[in-house]
């Protein structure tokens, strides 16, 4: 379980397709203390919960290896990742940690496409579109996770929605580099999903 508060920016420094391209072994460099990364640990990478299979230190940087399987490659932006791709990272919650964002499972629901970017004096406004199936879970002032970042929805119109990003978030996540046409991972709010399911069952 995660909160959508990014704690580091990682970089893919190793990329090995295996199993006829149905599995990618990724090596991600980061600034985490390697002694705190156990094999089997969960780390959210651009919102995708991946399992650490190995870790170590090379030079001044820690690295950890994860496998992106067929379903992850089919449903998320992981299919576009390559050497040099930068990723928003978050370690799994521990009991007693501050819940700074909202409850995030790390199970990406699909992809949103960036329609436009507007740079304002004190922030940036992004408009995105997604599928009708996912759009029904998105509400004004509700929570949403985009590439692993917990955000508040600003406006909603049919299958498009917007978010406002403050300078701090632009500087400590990959959002600062977003541009029109980019695809990002989207995880809808768990509470919205449960509320919709309860309504369906009535």
């Amino acid at each position: 379980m995660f909160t959508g508060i990014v704690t580091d920016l990682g970089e893919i420094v190793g990329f090995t397709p295996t199993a006829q391209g149905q599995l990618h072994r990724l090596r991600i460099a980061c600034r985490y203390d390697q002694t705190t990364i156990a094999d089997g640990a969960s780390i959210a990478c651009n919102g995708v919960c991946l399992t650490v299979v190995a870790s170590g230190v090379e030079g001044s940087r820690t690295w950890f290896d994860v496998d992106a399987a067929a379903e992850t490659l089919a449903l998320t932006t992981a299919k576009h990742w390559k050497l040099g791709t930068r990723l928003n990272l978050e370690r799994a919650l521990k009991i007693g940690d501050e819940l700074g964002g909202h409850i995030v499972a790390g199970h990406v629901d699909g992809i949103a496409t960036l329609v436009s970017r507007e740079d304002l004096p004190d922030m940036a406004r992004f408009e995105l579109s997604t599928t009708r199936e996912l759009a029904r879970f998105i509400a004004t002032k509700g929570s949403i996770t985009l590439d692993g970042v917990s955000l508040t929805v600003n406006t909603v119109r049919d299958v498009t929605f917007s978010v406002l990003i403050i300078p701090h978030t632009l500087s400590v996540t990959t959002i600062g580099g977003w541009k029109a046409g980019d695809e990002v991972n989207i995880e809808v709010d768990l509470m919205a999903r449960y509320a919709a399911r309860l309504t369906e069952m009535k």
Side-chain angles (χ1 to χ4, degrees):
M1 197 64 72
F2 307 91
T3 70
I5 302 299
V6 171
T7 54
D8 196 11
L9 283 176
E11 179 186 355
I12 296 178
V13 294
F15 183 94
T16 307
T18 59
Q20 289 76 49
Q22 295 302 301
L23 183 74
H24 291 172
R25 171 66 58 88
L26 306 173
R27 176 160 294 184
I28 300 170
C30 65
R31 294 177 298 175
Y32 293 140
D33 180 353
Q34 188 271 331
T35 63
T36 68
I37 302 176
D39 287 358
S42 295
I43 298 180
C45 303
N46 268 16
V48 183
C49 179
L50 297 174
T51 301
V52 175
V53 296
S55 65
V57 176
E58 185 172 343
S60 61
R61 292 202 291 181
T62 295
W63 58 263
F64 63 91
D65 288 351
V66 294
D67 289 328
E71 183 174 4
T72 298
L73 296 175
L75 297 178
T76 76
T77 61
K79 58 179 165 285
H80 302 311
W81 296 354
K82 58 186 183 297
L83 287 175
T85 296
R86 297 170 76 231
L87 303 171
N88 296 317
L89 303 180
E90 183 185 357
R91 306 285 297 274
L93 274 175
K94 296 189 290 291
I95 298 297
D97 282 353
E98 178 181 351
L99 186 62
H102 70 285
I103 296 173
V104 176
H107 302 155
V108 171
D109 292 300
I111 290 174
T113 302
L114 184 61
V115 176
S116 65
R117 170 177 179 156
E118 181 183 4
D119 289 301
L120 305 169
D122 295 317
M123 62 186 67
R125 180 180 183 275
F126 296 88
E127 186 174 64
L128 303 100
S129 66
T130 190
T131 64
R132 189 164 297 279
E133 169 63 23
L134 293 180
R136 69 193 184 101
F137 299 114
I138 302 172
T140 301
K141 306 305 179 188
S143 296
I144 197 163
T145 309
L146 298 176
D147 269 0
V149 184
S150 173
L151 299 170
T152 300
V153 177
N154 184 240
T155 62
V156 178
R157 186 180 69 254
D158 196 34
V159 298
T160 65
F161 62 97
S162 68
V163 291
L164 292 172
I165 312 296
I166 61 173
H168 173 75
T169 304
L170 290 172
S171 67
V172 300
T173 71
T174 62
I175 295 178
W178 286 3
K179 59 187 183 303
D182 284 350
E183 292 183 338
V184 300
N185 294 318
I186 179 173
E187 181 184 329
V188 299
D189 186 15
L190 283 173
M191 300 302 290
R193 184 175 292 283
Y194 282 123
R197 180 59 175 163
L198 286 170
T199 300
E200 290 171 359
M201 294 299 289
K202 287 183 179 179

mmCIF file with all atom_site columns, all heavy atoms in Angstrom, residues 18-30:
data_model
loop_
_atom_site.group_PDB
_atom_site.id
_atom_site.type_symbol
_atom_site.label_atom_id
_atom_site.label_alt_id
_atom_site.label_comp_id
_atom_site.label_asym_id
_atom_site.label_entity_id
_atom_site.label_seq_id
_atom_site.pdbx_PDB_ins_code
_atom_site.Cartn_x
_atom_site.Cartn_y
_atom_site.Cartn_z
_atom_site.occupancy
_atom_site.B_iso_or_equiv
_atom_site.pdbx_formal_charge
_atom_site.auth_seq_id
_atom_site.auth_comp_id
_atom_site.auth_asym_id
_atom_site.auth_atom_id
_atom_site.pdbx_PDB_model_num
ATOM 1   N N   . THR A 1 18 ? 12.972 -10.485 -21.674 1.00 0.00 ? 18 THR A N   1
ATOM 2   C CA  . THR A 1 18 ? 13.088 -11.939 -21.601 1.00 0.00 ? 18 THR A CA  1
ATOM 3   C C   . THR A 1 18 ? 11.749 -12.568 -21.954 1.00 0.00 ? 18 THR A C   1
ATOM 4   O O   . THR A 1 18 ? 10.751 -11.858 -22.139 1.00 0.00 ? 18 THR A O   1
ATOM 5   C CB  . THR A 1 18 ? 13.516 -12.399 -20.195 1.00 0.00 ? 18 THR A CB  1
ATOM 6   O OG1 . THR A 1 18 ? 12.544 -11.939 -19.248 1.00 0.00 ? 18 THR A OG1 1
ATOM 7   C CG2 . THR A 1 18 ? 14.884 -11.839 -19.821 1.00 0.00 ? 18 THR A CG2 1
ATOM 8   N N   . ALA A 1 19 ? 11.694 -13.895 -22.017 1.00 0.00 ? 19 ALA A N   1
ATOM 9   C CA  . ALA A 1 19 ? 10.455 -14.640 -22.306 1.00 0.00 ? 19 ALA A CA  1
ATOM 10  C C   . ALA A 1 19 ? 9.764  -14.105 -23.551 1.00 0.00 ? 19 ALA A C   1
ATOM 11  O O   . ALA A 1 19 ? 8.588  -13.765 -23.536 1.00 0.00 ? 19 ALA A O   1
ATOM 12  C CB  . ALA A 1 19 ? 9.519  -14.588 -21.105 1.00 0.00 ? 19 ALA A CB  1
ATOM 13  N N   . GLN A 1 20 ? 10.514 -14.023 -24.650 1.00 0.00 ? 20 GLN A N   1
ATOM 14  C CA  . GLN A 1 20 ? 9.974  -13.542 -25.930 1.00 0.00 ? 20 GLN A CA  1
ATOM 15  C C   . GLN A 1 20 ? 9.336  -12.155 -25.791 1.00 0.00 ? 20 GLN A C   1
ATOM 16  O O   . GLN A 1 20 ? 8.300  -11.864 -26.393 1.00 0.00 ? 20 GLN A O   1
ATOM 17  C CB  . GLN A 1 20 ? 8.949  -14.528 -26.515 1.00 0.00 ? 20 GLN A CB  1
ATOM 18  C CG  . GLN A 1 20 ? 9.547  -15.827 -27.028 1.00 0.00 ? 20 GLN A CG  1
ATOM 19  C CD  . GLN A 1 20 ? 9.934  -16.775 -25.903 1.00 0.00 ? 20 GLN A CD  1
ATOM 20  O OE1 . GLN A 1 20 ? 9.138  -17.028 -24.999 1.00 0.00 ? 20 GLN A OE1 1
ATOM 21  N NE2 . GLN A 1 20 ? 11.139 -17.286 -25.950 1.00 0.00 ? 20 GLN A NE2 1
ATOM 22  N N   . GLY A 1 21 ? 9.961  -11.297 -24.991 1.00 0.00 ? 21 GLY A N   1
ATOM 23  C CA  . GLY A 1 21 ? 9.472  -9.936  -24.847 1.00 0.00 ? 21 GLY A CA  1
ATOM 24  C C   . GLY A 1 21 ? 8.294  -9.785  -23.913 1.00 0.00 ? 21 GLY A C   1
ATOM 25  O O   . GLY A 1 21 ? 7.758  -8.696  -23.754 1.00 0.00 ? 21 GLY A O   1
ATOM 26  N N   . GLN A 1 22 ? 7.865  -10.889 -23.258 1.00 0.00 ? 22 GLN A N   1
ATOM 27  C CA  . GLN A 1 22 ? 6.717  -10.837 -22.362 1.00 0.00 ? 22 GLN A CA  1
ATOM 28  C C   . GLN A 1 22 ? 7.112  -10.466 -20.933 1.00 0.00 ? 22 GLN A C   1
ATOM 29  O O   . GLN A 1 22 ? 6.258  -10.331 -20.064 1.00 0.00 ? 22 GLN A O   1
ATOM 30  C CB  . GLN A 1 22 ? 5.988  -12.185 -22.360 1.00 0.00 ? 22 GLN A CB  1
ATOM 31  C CG  . GLN A 1 22 ? 5.363  -12.527 -23.697 1.00 0.00 ? 22 GLN A CG  1
ATOM 32  C CD  . GLN A 1 22 ? 4.366  -11.479 -24.159 1.00 0.00 ? 22 GLN A CD  1
ATOM 33  O OE1 . GLN A 1 22 ? 3.386  -11.192 -23.484 1.00 0.00 ? 22 GLN A OE1 1
ATOM 34  N NE2 . GLN A 1 22 ? 4.637  -10.884 -25.312 1.00 0.00 ? 22 GLN A NE2 1
ATOM 35  N N   . LEU A 1 23 ? 8.403  -10.305 -20.686 1.00 0.00 ? 23 LEU A N   1
ATOM 36  C CA  . LEU A 1 23 ? 8.893  -9.946  -19.366 1.00 0.00 ? 23 LEU A CA  1
ATOM 37  C C   . LEU A 1 23 ? 10.112 -9.062  -19.535 1.00 0.00 ? 23 LEU A C   1
ATOM 38  O O   . LEU A 1 23 ? 10.994 -9.372  -20.344 1.00 0.00 ? 23 LEU A O   1
ATOM 39  C CB  . LEU A 1 23 ? 9.270  -11.203 -18.573 1.00 0.00 ? 23 LEU A CB  1
ATOM 40  C CG  . LEU A 1 23 ? 9.737  -10.996 -17.129 1.00 0.00 ? 23 LEU A CG  1
ATOM 41  C CD1 . LEU A 1 23 ? 8.551  -10.657 -16.239 1.00 0.00 ? 23 LEU A CD1 1
ATOM 42  C CD2 . LEU A 1 23 ? 10.435 -12.262 -16.622 1.00 0.00 ? 23 LEU A CD2 1
ATOM 43  N N   . HIS A 1 24 ? 10.137 -7.944  -18.830 1.00 0.00 ? 24 HIS A N   1
ATOM 44  C CA  . HIS A 1 24 ? 11.289 -7.061  -18.876 1.00 0.00 ? 24 HIS A CA  1
ATOM 45  C C   . HIS A 1 24 ? 11.937 -7.012  -17.498 1.00 0.00 ? 24 HIS A C   1
ATOM 46  O O   . HIS A 1 24 ? 11.270 -6.707  -16.508 1.00 0.00 ? 24 HIS A O   1
ATOM 47  C CB  . HIS A 1 24 ? 10.882 -5.639  -19.287 1.00 0.00 ? 24 HIS A CB  1
ATOM 48  C CG  . HIS A 1 24 ? 10.443 -5.525  -20.706 1.00 0.00 ? 24 HIS A CG  1
ATOM 49  N ND1 . HIS A 1 24 ? 9.886  -4.371  -21.231 1.00 0.00 ? 24 HIS A ND1 1
ATOM 50  C CD2 . HIS A 1 24 ? 10.481 -6.407  -21.736 1.00 0.00 ? 24 HIS A CD2 1
ATOM 51  C CE1 . HIS A 1 24 ? 9.598  -4.552  -22.508 1.00 0.00 ? 24 HIS A CE1 1
ATOM 52  N NE2 . HIS A 1 24 ? 9.946  -5.773  -22.835 1.00 0.00 ? 24 HIS A NE2 1
ATOM 53  N N   . ARG A 1 25 ? 13.223 -7.335  -17.425 1.00 0.00 ? 25 ARG A N   1
ATOM 54  C CA  . ARG A 1 25 ? 13.976 -7.168  -16.187 1.00 0.00 ? 25 ARG A CA  1
ATOM 55  C C   . ARG A 1 25 ? 14.582 -5.757  -16.228 1.00 0.00 ? 25 ARG A C   1
ATOM 56  O O   . ARG A 1 25 ? 15.325 -5.413  -17.135 1.00 0.00 ? 25 ARG A O   1
ATOM 57  C CB  . ARG A 1 25 ? 15.068 -8.239  -16.078 1.00 0.00 ? 25 ARG A CB  1
ATOM 58  C CG  . ARG A 1 25 ? 16.067 -8.060  -14.950 1.00 0.00 ? 25 ARG A CG  1
ATOM 59  C CD  . ARG A 1 25 ? 15.455 -8.186  -13.570 1.00 0.00 ? 25 ARG A CD  1
ATOM 60  N NE  . ARG A 1 25 ? 14.791 -9.459  -13.324 1.00 0.00 ? 25 ARG A NE  1
ATOM 61  C CZ  . ARG A 1 25 ? 15.405 -10.550 -12.840 1.00 0.00 ? 25 ARG A CZ  1
ATOM 62  N NH1 . ARG A 1 25 ? 16.686 -10.522 -12.547 1.00 0.00 ? 25 ARG A NH1 1
ATOM 63  N NH2 . ARG A 1 25 ? 14.701 -11.652 -12.635 1.00 0.00 ? 25 ARG A NH2 1
ATOM 64  N N   . LEU A 1 26 ? 14.211 -4.960  -15.243 1.00 0.00 ? 26 LEU A N   1
ATOM 65  C CA  . LEU A 1 26 ? 14.649 -3.571  -15.191 1.00 0.00 ? 26 LEU A CA  1
ATOM 66  C C   . LEU A 1 26 ? 15.581 -3.352  -14.017 1.00 0.00 ? 26 LEU A C   1
ATOM 67  O O   . LEU A 1 26 ? 15.322 -3.848  -12.906 1.00 0.00 ? 26 LEU A O   1
ATOM 68  C CB  . LEU A 1 26 ? 13.439 -2.641  -15.035 1.00 0.00 ? 26 LEU A CB  1
ATOM 69  C CG  . LEU A 1 26 ? 12.304 -2.778  -16.054 1.00 0.00 ? 26 LEU A CG  1
ATOM 70  C CD1 . LEU A 1 26 ? 11.134 -1.906  -15.648 1.00 0.00 ? 26 LEU A CD1 1
ATOM 71  C CD2 . LEU A 1 26 ? 12.789 -2.419  -17.445 1.00 0.00 ? 26 LEU A CD2 1
ATOM 72  N N   . ARG A 1 27 ? 16.645 -2.614  -14.221 1.00 0.00 ? 27 ARG A N   1
ATOM 73  C CA  . ARG A 1 27 ? 17.512 -2.170  -13.135 1.00 0.00 ? 27 ARG A CA  1
ATOM 74  C C   . ARG A 1 27 ? 17.319 -0.664  -12.979 1.00 0.00 ? 27 ARG A C   1
ATOM 75  O O   . ARG A 1 27 ? 17.488 0.104   -13.939 1.00 0.00 ? 27 ARG A O   1
ATOM 76  C CB  . ARG A 1 27 ? 18.971 -2.507  -13.396 1.00 0.00 ? 27 ARG A CB  1
ATOM 77  C CG  . ARG A 1 27 ? 19.930 -1.972  -12.328 1.00 0.00 ? 27 ARG A CG  1
ATOM 78  C CD  . ARG A 1 27 ? 21.254 -2.697  -12.334 1.00 0.00 ? 27 ARG A CD  1
ATOM 79  N NE  . ARG A 1 27 ? 21.066 -4.102  -11.925 1.00 0.00 ? 27 ARG A NE  1
ATOM 80  C CZ  . ARG A 1 27 ? 22.079 -4.960  -11.768 1.00 0.00 ? 27 ARG A CZ  1
ATOM 81  N NH1 . ARG A 1 27 ? 23.326 -4.560  -11.982 1.00 0.00 ? 27 ARG A NH1 1
ATOM 82  N NH2 . ARG A 1 27 ? 21.842 -6.205  -11.401 1.00 0.00 ? 27 ARG A NH2 1
ATOM 83  N N   . ILE A 1 28 ? 16.923 -0.255  -11.781 1.00 0.00 ? 28 ILE A N   1
ATOM 84  C CA  . ILE A 1 28 ? 16.572 1.141   -11.521 1.00 0.00 ? 28 ILE A CA  1
ATOM 85  C C   . ILE A 1 28 ? 17.538 1.722   -10.497 1.00 0.00 ? 28 ILE A C   1
ATOM 86  O O   . ILE A 1 28 ? 17.697 1.169   -9.393  1.00 0.00 ? 28 ILE A O   1
ATOM 87  C CB  . ILE A 1 28 ? 15.121 1.238   -11.021 1.00 0.00 ? 28 ILE A CB  1
ATOM 88  C CG1 . ILE A 1 28 ? 14.170 0.685   -12.087 1.00 0.00 ? 28 ILE A CG1 1
ATOM 89  C CG2 . ILE A 1 28 ? 14.773 2.686   -10.664 1.00 0.00 ? 28 ILE A CG2 1
ATOM 90  C CD1 . ILE A 1 28 ? 12.741 0.518   -11.614 1.00 0.00 ? 28 ILE A CD1 1
ATOM 91  N N   . ALA A 1 29 ? 18.198 2.802   -10.854 1.00 0.00 ? 29 ALA A N   1
ATOM 92  C CA  . ALA A 1 29 ? 19.103 3.498   -9.942  1.00 0.00 ? 29 ALA A CA  1
ATOM 93  C C   . ALA A 1 29 ? 18.312 4.499   -9.116  1.00 0.00 ? 29 ALA A C   1
ATOM 94  O O   . ALA A 1 29 ? 17.371 5.140   -9.613  1.00 0.00 ? 29 ALA A O   1
ATOM 95  C CB  . ALA A 1 29 ? 20.203 4.202   -10.724 1.00 0.00 ? 29 ALA A CB  1
ATOM 96  N N   . CYS A 1 30 ? 18.675 4.645   -7.848  1.00 0.00 ? 30 CYS A N   1
ATOM 97  C CA  . CYS A 1 30 ? 17.945 5.547   -6.952  1.00 0.00 ? 30 CYS A CA  1
ATOM 98  C C   . CYS A 1 30 ? 18.872 6.029   -5.850  1.00 0.00 ? 30 CYS A C   1
ATOM 99  O O   . CYS A 1 30 ? 20.072 5.719   -5.830  1.00 0.00 ? 30 CYS A O   1
ATOM 100 C CB  . CYS A 1 30 ? 16.739 4.820   -6.341  1.00 0.00 ? 30 CYS A CB  1
ATOM 101 S SG  . CYS A 1 30 ? 17.210 3.445   -5.253  1.00 0.00 ? 30 CYS A SG  1
#
